[in-house]
Amino acid sequence: MKVIICGAGQVGWQIARHLSGELNDVTVVDNNPDLVRRATETLDVQGIAGFASYPDVLERAGARDADMIIAATHSDEVNMVTCQMAHSIFSIQRKIARLRAKSYLQAIHSDLFRRDHLPIDVVISPEREVAAAAMRRLSAPSAFDTEMFMDGQAQLLGIRIDEDCPIVNTPLRQLTDLFSTLSSIVVGVRRDGTLFAPESEDQLFVGDECYVFTHVKDVDRTMEVFGKTHKKQDRVVIVGGGNVGLEVARTLEERESRVRAKVIERDRQSAEIAAETLERTIVLNGDGLDAALLREAGIERADAMLAVTDDDRANMLAAVRAKAEGCALAIALINDPSMVALMGPLGIDAYINPRATTVSSILRHIRHGRVRQVYSIGDAEAEVIEAEVLSTSPMAGQKLRDIDFPEGVLVGAVRKGDELFRPTGSLRIDEKDVVAIFAMAKDVPEVERLMQVSIDFF
C-alpha cells in the first residue's frame, strides 16, 4: 500500500514508523526540512519538504498512484485543503484528517465532510480521543493505562505492582489455579524499562508494570487481586480549561451519575469561555500550581485531579502539588513519552498520552479488512489488535495451542457471538470469532498474516 503522511511531528512520525515497519510504501511531507530529515534518517520512508496542501508538493510525493493520505499537520485548515486536493486532483481513495477546532466538529456541520463538500473519509479529533481516554482512566482509577475492547465487554488495564500486591513472586500459570473463575490474562510486562510478552513461568516483581486483559465484569476483582482498591469518582478537579479540559468537563456533565467537577484555568479569556459553555461545572480563573487555589477547589476532598494543560511540565507539577495537598488520584496529560519514567518517582498515579491515543485511532482506521480496534502501547512498543477471524486465516479451525504465534504475541480474549471467552490452549478459533491479541511491534506483521487482514478501500 502506498501512503502519504502529511505532517512529520510526533503523530505523523509514529504513524510512519508503524506503516513503514509493515513494509508499506510511505512518503512523509512536512514544510520543516529538519522533521523530514529526521523521518528519512530514522525510518524506511521517503521525504518531501514543502506545504502538504500545495498540489505540486503532493505530485512530488507520488499522489498520482497513492492509496491513502493522512493529513496530520498542526493546522486544521491545511489538513482539510490537503484532503480536498487529494480528492479533486489526484483521486486518492482514502483520506484521513486530524481536526482540533470544535467548530468543525459540531453536529450541525456533520455534512461538511461528505464527498460533494470536503471529501474526508475519517475525521480524528485529538480532544475527543483524550476526553474518552480520561473517562477510561476514571473508570479504573488505580490503573495507569486502560482501553476498552470487544464493544465494551473487555478492558485492558495497566497495573503497577506494589509491595502489597498479593501475587508478587507468583508464576503466572498459578493465577489460573488460584483464581479459576477470573477471566484476566497478563499479556505484557514492563520491567526496568523493557516491555515484553510474559511466559507462563514468569513471575511479577515489585516495580513491574503489567498489562492485564479482562472481562469488564471482572475489573474490580482483578484490581483487588493485584492489590488495588476501587473507589467511585464523585469529585473531580480539572487543571486546564482549554480544548481538552473543556471536552473532559462536558463529558463529565453528560454522565448519568452526578459528578461534582471544578475547572481551574490560568487564561482569563479561556476561563470565561469555559464558564459560559459548561452548565454545572464551577470554573476558577488562576494558576493550577497555586496551593491556595487548589485548596479553594477542594483538592484535599477530590477523588481525582486531571491536569490537562498543553504544558507537560505544568501538568506533572500540578499533579505532584495535588497529591501533596491530599488528592487521592492524580492524572497528568503527557505528550513527551520520555517523561513517563518520572511519574513513579514523582508519585503521579496515571497519565494520558494524547499522541498515543491519536495514533491508535488513526491505526484503527488504516487497518481495514476485519480489524475493529488497535491500541498502541508505550512509545509504539506494542499493539493490542482486535479483529474478526476470516475464513482464509491460518487460525480458523485451529486450537490456540496449535497456532504458531511468535514469542512476543499473546491472546487476551476471544469472543464467539456475544459471549466472551478466556483464552485457553484447548479453545478453538473459528471463522467470525473476534480475537484480541497483544503483539510486540516487530511481530505485528506476522499477526496480520495469521489473521489474513487485507487492506480494502471504499
Side-chain angles (χ1 to χ4, degrees):
M1 181 174 64
K2 184 169 184 177
V3 183
I4 298 175
I5 300 174
C6 303
Q10 284 297 323
V11 169
W13 188 88
Q14 294 283 14
I15 293 295
R17 176 180 172 181
H18 279 275
L19 295 183
S20 63
E22 295 160 19
L23 304 181
N24 293 288
D25 183 355
V26 178
T27 301
V28 174
V29 179
D30 199 290
N31 65 334
N32 186 332
D34 292 334
L35 292 180
V36 173
R37 190 179 306 111
R38 182 189 69 156
T40 56
E41 289 178 353
T42 58
L43 305 172
D44 184 16
V45 301
Q46 301 176 67
I48 299 292
F51 287 93
S53 56
Y54 288 4
D56 61 314
V57 172
L58 291 178
E59 180 89 54
R60 287 192 287 129
R64 292 289 176 191
D65 57 350
D67 300 304
M68 177 184 295
I69 190 164
I70 301 169
T73 75
H74 293 295
S75 168
D76 289 358
E77 290 71 26
V78 169
N79 293 340
M80 290 190 291
V81 172
T82 298
C83 289
Q84 182 71 69
M85 296 298 104
H87 175 81
S88 301
I89 299 178
F90 302 105
S91 301
I92 297 178
Q93 290 295 306
R94 191 74 172 166
K95 298 164 288 292
I96 298 176
R98 178 178 66 170
L99 301 181
R100 304 182 68 104
K102 296 189 297 294
S103 184
Y104 293 133
L105 303 171
Q106 292 177 5
I108 59 173
H109 302 145
S110 58
D111 289 341
L112 178 63
F113 305 111
R114 294 187 323 194
R115 284 185 174 270
D116 52 348
H117 291 153
L118 273 172
I120 301 174
D121 299 293
V122 178
V123 173
I124 305 296
S125 167
E127 282 72 22
R128 289 180 179 176
E129 298 292 337
V130 169
M135 300 308 294
R136 290 191 294 271
R137 294 290 185 277
L138 292 175
S139 70
S142 297
F144 66 81
D145 196 2
T146 182
E147 180 62 77
M148 302 298 295
F149 290 88
M150 304 287 189
D151 295 324
Q153 285 185 280
Q155 192 165 356
L156 179 73
L157 301 168
I159 304 175
R160 188 173 291 105
I161 304 300
D162 299 322
E163 292 182 357
D164 57 353
C165 176
I167 56 173
V168 167
N169 302 332
T170 302
L172 293 178
R173 61 176 173 78
Q174 291 187 13
L175 295 185
T176 302
D177 300 330
L178 293 171
F179 309 100
S180 58
T181 60
L182 194 66
S183 64
S184 304
I185 295 286
V186 178
V187 293
V189 176
R190 180 179 283 106
R191 180 175 298 154
D192 298 327
T194 301
L195 183 69
F196 62 93
E199 298 181 357
S200 61
E201 296 300 320
D202 284 331
Q203 303 176 32
L204 297 178
F205 302 123
V206 174
D208 285 355
E209 293 180 347
C210 60
Y211 288 88
V212 184
F213 209 93
T214 184
H215 194 295
V216 290
K217 66 180 177 61
D218 283 340
V219 168
D220 289 350
R221 189 172 171 221
T222 298
M223 299 303 285
E224 290 176 3
V225 166
F226 282 82
K228 305 293 183 180
T229 57
H230 178 76
K231 182 181 178 183
K232 189 176 180 181
Q233 309 300 300
D234 292 323
R235 295 181 177 88
V236 178
V237 175
I238 302 169
V239 176
N243 289 340
V244 173
L246 197 56
E247 187 68 27
V248 171
R250 187 184 294 114
T251 305
L252 287 172
E253 286 191 341
E254 293 172 354
R255 291 180 67 172
E256 292 183 5
S257 56
R258 181 70 182 270
V259 177
R260 302 175 189 174
K262 295 180 181 178
V263 172
I264 299 175
E265 169 54 42
R266 185 172 186 172
D267 179 74
R268 185 172 184 81
Q269 184 177 0
S270 297
E272 290 175 351
I273 292 173
E276 293 173 0
T277 304
L278 300 170
E279 297 179 0
R280 301 195 307 269
T281 303
I282 297 173
V283 179
L284 304 175
N285 178 216
D287 190 347
L289 297 177
D290 185 342
L293 187 60
L294 285 171
R295 286 193 288 270
E296 182 182 343
I299 195 67
E300 72 281 357
R301 299 186 305 276
D303 299 307
M305 189 282 292
L306 298 171
V308 291
T309 75
D310 56 5
D311 186 328
D312 285 0
R313 292 172 179 79
N315 291 339
M316 296 180 75
L317 288 173
V320 171
R321 177 58 61 87
K323 294 291 288 186
E325 293 294 327
C327 183
L329 175 72
I331 302 172
L333 187 74
I334 300 177
N335 285 278
D336 184 356
S338 68
M339 300 186 73
V340 173
L342 299 174
M343 283 184 44
L346 291 175
I348 301 172
D349 300 290
Y351 69 95
I352 303 168
N353 186 334
R355 290 171 180 169
T357 59
T358 302
V359 167
S360 295
S361 182
I362 292 175
L363 287 174
R364 187 163 64 245
H365 293 289
I366 288 175
R367 299 209 176 100
H368 295 292
R370 298 302 171 89
V371 171
R372 298 155 52 92
Q373 168 81 313
V374 177
Y375 185 63
S376 178
I377 291 179
D379 189 14
E381 300 160 272
E383 291 182 16
V384 177
I385 302 171
E386 176 191 326
E388 182 180 328
V389 177
L390 303 177
S391 60
T392 54
S393 167
M395 296 172 59
Q398 298 284 326
K399 292 182 178 179
L400 279 176
R401 68 164 66 97
D402 299 326
I403 300 173
D404 188 20
F405 289 115
E407 288 185 3
V409 172
L410 286 174
V411 177
V414 177
R415 190 172 76 176
K416 294 176 176 290
D418 294 329
E419 189 173 358
L420 199 68
F421 289 85
R422 185 181 189 274
T424 61
S426 60
L427 184 64
R428 173 189 166 106
I429 303 299
D430 298 309
E431 178 188 356
K432 294 188 177 180
D433 285 354
V434 178
V435 182
I437 296 179
F438 172 94
M440 298 302 295
K442 63 181 177 58
D443 297 313
V444 168
E446 176 62 14
V447 169
E448 294 194 324
R449 185 195 69 80
L450 284 171
M451 306 196 77
Q452 287 291 291
V453 177
S454 59
I455 303 295
D456 53 4
F457 300 98
F458 304 93

